[in-house]
Amino acid sequence: MSKLFEPVRLGALQLQNAVVMAPLTRSRATTDGVPQSIARDYYEQRASAGLLIAEGTQPSAGGQGYARTPGIHNAQQAAGWRAINDAAHGKGAKTVLQIMHVGRIAHPLNRTIADAPVAPSAVRPAGQMWTDQKQMQDFPTPRALETAEVKALVDEFVAASTLAIEAGFDGVEIHAANGYLHHQFLSSNSNQRTDEYGGSVQNRVRFTAETVAAVAAAIGADRTGIRISPGHMFNDIADANPTETHVALLDAIPTQDLAYVHLMLPDSFAPQLNNAGDVDALRKTIRAHTKGNLIAAGGFTKDKAEAALASGELQAVVFGRPFIANPDLVARFKNNWPLAEANPDLFYTPGAEGYSDYPAYKA
Ligand SMILES: Cc1cc2nc3c(=O)[nH]c(=O)nc-3n(C[C@H](O)[C@H](O)[C@H](O)COP(=O)(O)O)c2cc1C
């Protein structure tokens, strides 16, 4: 009997099945970060999943880095999310908002404020990012945060999480993966601080542990999740010992009380983007240090998902790219229908095309 289609409980979140939609940045909000009606359509179409983890969303104007990403720091944004949550709940899905501060992964042209992007240290990431005005542009060098500003960012996550719950989300996911602000604090190459937030591994995990504790205290640990991607080198992250860092992080947070820990596998996109070594060994280590629910993403198929649920390694399984072109992914898995392929050229373009116009399967 497949556990994939059975109800499962993650903390306060009672899910209709164990299929989770991954957070997917799709850049369809207004330039002010307000989610639009096409986003409501898109999420509602995918709400046969047990849980929708809504795309990375900035907790403040300063947390934005990419063009047209949504926010959760004012009433218009909350109203946009409210419509999405009502639609998704109407189809049975639970919803969680991924709160994402990009840190140094930002270009001024994509932001609504003039302030320079901030990071643990003034270390410019290698690489470029898209801007609507000038296409691909180098990342600028970020400004290093003052110690007091780090503490203020924890408060910013609390305010955004509280607003997310007011906007109808069932929980929030703190984005500590994929090279964004929290991952920049965790990683030895991007964090060169000499205060209590840098240097030793205990200091590098402090900002993330404080964020989790403060958000959990505000909205409930059982509505709080965290996403990690140990060893994932996306966005110029190269931690000297990612497994050690993430073990210290998991040991510093109340994993037994959280809704879930969400692992994104470091080889999700390419083997050369992984510096954590053997991925099976990493999975075992993360499982051992997660005392509550563990969910994971990265190249899962129906078969791999069922195996991970059956062994007890995972309590739910997260699918990213498969959800883009298969709004009815759950039904396709159930019936063994073929999966459609998404068009990557339309991942981040404005409008409904390549977003809310992928049809359900017709048998
Ligand atoms: C278009 C696109 C956008 C993404 N946006 C996010 C994001 O906002 N936050 C995040 O944590 N991961 C993001 N990811 C990573 C996915 O959540 C997922 O972990 C990854 O695609 C691996 O799972 P998959 O093999 O099932 O696609 C994104 C991936 C893609 C392809």
Side-chain angles (χ1 to χ4, degrees), residues 226 228-231 242-251 255 261-266 276 278-296 313-314:
I226 178 172
I228 56 173
S229 60
T243 305
E244 177 196 63
T245 300
H246 285 82
V247 163
L249 173 64
L250 292 173
D251 291 351
T255 55
V261 171
H262 181 177
L263 170 65
M264 192 184 103
L265 300 176
D278 180 63
V279 175
D280 288 333
L282 175 71
R283 283 170 71 160
K284 285 202 179 73
T285 303
I286 297 301
R287 176 66 273 178
H289 288 268
T290 300
K291 295 182 199 74
N293 300 313
L294 181 64
I295 68 177
E313 179 199 9
L314 304 181

Side-chain angles (χ1 to χ4, degrees), residues 143-229:
R143 177 177 71 77
L145 288 156
E146 305 290 335
T147 303
E149 289 180 298
V150 181
K151 296 183 190 300
L153 280 166
V154 173
D155 297 338
E156 191 174 295
F157 267 72
V158 169
S161 301
T162 305
L163 187 55
I165 299 296
E166 285 169 21
F169 281 101
D170 300 294
V172 307
E173 174 176 292
I174 294 160
H175 194 354
N178 299 353
Y180 301 106
L181 182 67
H182 286 82
H183 204 180
Q184 292 159 28
F185 271 87
L186 292 171
S187 182
S188 57
N189 74 319
S190 44
N191 183 344
Q192 300 176 358
R193 301 178 69 87
T194 53
D195 66 0
E196 73 226 59
Y197 293 104
S200 69
V201 63
Q202 294 310 328
N203 282 355
R204 281 183 283 116
V205 306
R206 191 181 310 281
F207 171 53
T208 304
E210 287 182 356
T211 306
V212 170
V215 168
I219 67 163
D222 58 357
R223 296 190 181 280
T224 303
I226 178 172
R227 190 174 223 209
I228 56 173
S229 60

Side-chain angles (χ1 to χ4, degrees), residues 22-26 55-56 98 100 173 175 177-178 227 262 264 268-269 297-300 318-322 324 347-348:
L24 295 164
T25 291
R26 304 302 308 278
E55 65 209 79
Q98 185 185 58
M100 161 171 163
E173 174 176 292
H175 194 354
N178 299 353
R227 190 174 223 209
H262 181 177
M264 192 184 103
S268 289
F269 294 101
F300 280 91
V318 187
F319 300 89
R321 285 160 289 185
I324 293 178
F347 277 0
Y348 309 109

